[in-house]
Amino acid sequence: MKRVLITGAAGFLGSHLCERFLKEGMYVIGMDNLITGDMRNIEHLMPNPNFEFYHHDVTKYVHVPGELDYIMHFASPASPIDYLKIPIQTLKVGAMGTHNLLGLARAKKSRFIIASTSEVYGDPLVHPQTEDYWGHVNPIGPRGCYDEAKRYQEAITMAYHRYHGLETRIVRIFNTYGPRMRLNDGRVLPAFMGQALRGEDITVFGDGTQTRSFCYVDDLVEGIYRLLMSDYSLPVNIGNPMEITIGQFAEEIIKLTGTDQKVVYKPLPQDDPKQRQPDITKAKEVLGWEPKVSREEGLRITYDYFRSLPKERLYEESNHRGFEGFSAKK
């Protein structure tokens, strides 16, 4: 049985990856310090004999007994509300965490994949964004802690690939959505849906003309799986190229939820990207991948998930515990 370590396992994306690799017949070791993750995302996996969980901070020394065929580094705060509150932890998990896990991969002779991001392109001057675009990033701006952590993560991963011959993969993830997102995480989709469910006005930052491209989580997981199993070591964009303005998106959410909120406009945060659209030519050519789930279908599934939550979850505040991690097997 193949064994895979997935960091950030209790997060939105990490929990879906755990499910997918269990379905592929692998033994899955999840790891998370729960600074932004939530055990409720993986509690349904705990009885599975092929799943175990380590409560651990990957910026500390990482030890996992036994063989590891794959290491998937998906631990990181991933939304502005998170990484603006905990910028140092964000930098550490991208730098020290990646270094620790690359060392583990080298010791275990594991194939290693990192979750990079479209944020490495910054506020792009090229549209849509291709993998050979180097980006337009403000390293000392408020978002720099996340953008530069991910850019460093890519650099050290390629250094281990070139110097040590480590098998590495880099996925650049564009805006993703689906069940198990946190309503309070500050990203536009859960923010809009949470406001609709609470009967609040929809808040658009900027004039609403900035664009995003939303990929349903199942499509993203499929792309990540194919990349991990491929022999391609350079970065690959995985995302949905169907672009929409934030203003149009707000109207879609109001229509979907059947609510009659007003849309209110507030100033755009510093360095917030004006455009975001992946060029997925490489994913099509190298992986035979493209998204299948329409935005209409994906939004309906996601809204049904949010609507099913207990009412108190609609009003939960973000909770950054920031403790020192420790190891604990299931």
Side-chain angles (χ1 to χ4, degrees):
M1 181 179 282
K2 298 281 190 185
R3 287 164 52 89
V4 56
L5 169 65
I6 301 175
T7 73
F12 158 56
L13 182 53
S15 66
H16 285 276
L17 287 168
C18 289
E19 284 182 338
R20 173 61 186 267
F21 281 81
L22 285 167
K23 286 176 183 172
E24 294 293 336
M26 296 192 197
Y27 188 91
V28 174
I29 301 158
M31 185 174 287
D32 204 303
N33 68 351
L34 303 178
I35 196 169
T36 60
D38 191 327
M39 286 300 295
R40 290 174 295 196
N41 290 333
I42 55 171
E43 61 187 0
H44 63 293
L45 303 179
M46 298 303 275
N48 190 318
N50 295 325
F51 180 75
E52 64 178 303
F53 178 72
Y54 283 76
H55 183 182
H56 184 66
D57 180 348
V58 298
T59 68
K60 316 298 181 193
Y61 176 76
V62 180
H63 171 69
V64 176
E67 294 182 0
L68 284 176
D69 297 279
Y70 308 107
I71 295 175
M72 307 182 70
H73 184 23
F74 282 71
S76 176
S79 70
I81 200 170
D82 291 335
Y83 55 70
L84 293 177
K85 286 182 178 178
I86 46 173
I88 294 169
Q89 291 94 326
T90 301
L91 284 158
K92 286 172 69 175
V93 75
M96 296 157 63
T98 305
H99 193 188
N100 287 341
L101 290 160
L102 282 163
L104 181 66
R106 188 175 171 222
K108 302 282 187 181
K109 298 180 172 56
S110 312
R111 185 176 296 178
F112 182 82
I113 185 170
I114 56 163
S116 188
T117 170
S118 60
E119 298 299 325
V120 299
Y121 302 123
D123 188 7
L125 303 177
V126 169
H127 193 73
Q129 293 81 58
T130 61
E131 289 88 347
D132 57 4
Y133 174 54
W134 292 351
H136 178 228
V137 175
N138 177 3
I140 60 169
R143 300 170 69 99
C145 60
Y146 184 68
D147 302 357
E148 295 298 344
K150 292 297 188 180
R151 287 160 71 95
Y152 174 85
Q153 188 178 51
E154 289 195 11
I156 194 172
T157 296
M158 288 306 298
Y160 265 73
H161 172 73
R162 293 183 178 120
Y163 187 78
H164 291 301
L166 195 67
E167 277 196 84
T168 59
R169 308 288 182 265
I170 299 172
V171 56
R172 287 182 180 160
I173 298 169
F174 282 68
N175 295 77
T176 306
Y177 69 98
R180 297 191 211 123
M181 293 189 88
R182 296 200 333 266
L183 277 170
N184 58 24
D185 84 351
R187 284 181 272 199
V188 63
L189 186 147
F192 284 1
M193 287 194 174
Q195 288 173 327
L197 286 165
R198 291 188 297 267
E200 300 168 359
D201 291 335
I202 303 291
T203 304
V204 171
F205 293 94
D207 61 7
T209 60
Q210 70 271 36
T211 68
R212 294 294 182 269
S213 307
F214 296 100
C215 184
Y216 186 64
V217 64
D218 288 359
D219 282 333
L220 184 82
V221 167
E222 176 66 24
I224 292 167
Y225 180 81
R226 291 190 188 198
L227 178 58
L228 181 65
M229 297 304 159
S230 78
D231 59 1
Y232 192 78
S233 59
L234 294 175
V236 177
N237 291 337
I238 300 291
N240 192 319
M242 294 294 291
E243 190 179 23
I244 186 173
T245 71
I246 296 300
Q248 292 169 330
F249 188 60
E251 297 300 330
E252 279 194 6
I253 296 298
I254 290 170
K255 182 179 177 183
L256 169 71
T257 58
T259 51
D260 58 358
Q261 280 88 335
K262 301 197 304 287
V263 177
V264 297
Y265 294 87
K266 294 188 176 180
L268 193 67
Q270 183 183 340
D271 302 328
D272 196 64
K274 311 298 188 302
Q275 293 178 304
R276 186 67 86 228
Q277 182 189 24
D279 183 313
I280 60 168
T281 303
K282 190 166 286 185
K284 289 178 179 179
E285 291 175 350
V286 175
L287 309 177
W289 176 88
E290 60 184 316
K292 307 289 187 194
V293 180
S294 69
R295 193 167 63 243
E296 180 182 21
E297 180 185 358
L299 288 177
R300 180 183 51 77
I301 296 168
T302 306
Y303 179 60
D304 286 345
Y305 165 77
F306 284 139
R307 197 165 49 173
S308 73
L309 294 175
K311 190 169 184 181
E312 61 269 18
R313 294 279 294 275
L314 298 180
Y315 297 91
E316 276 185 345
E317 294 296 321
S318 182
N319 180 23
H320 301 300
R321 290 164 284 278
F323 49 72
E324 299 296 312
F326 61 91
S327 296
K329 290 182 69 171
K330 178 178 66 172

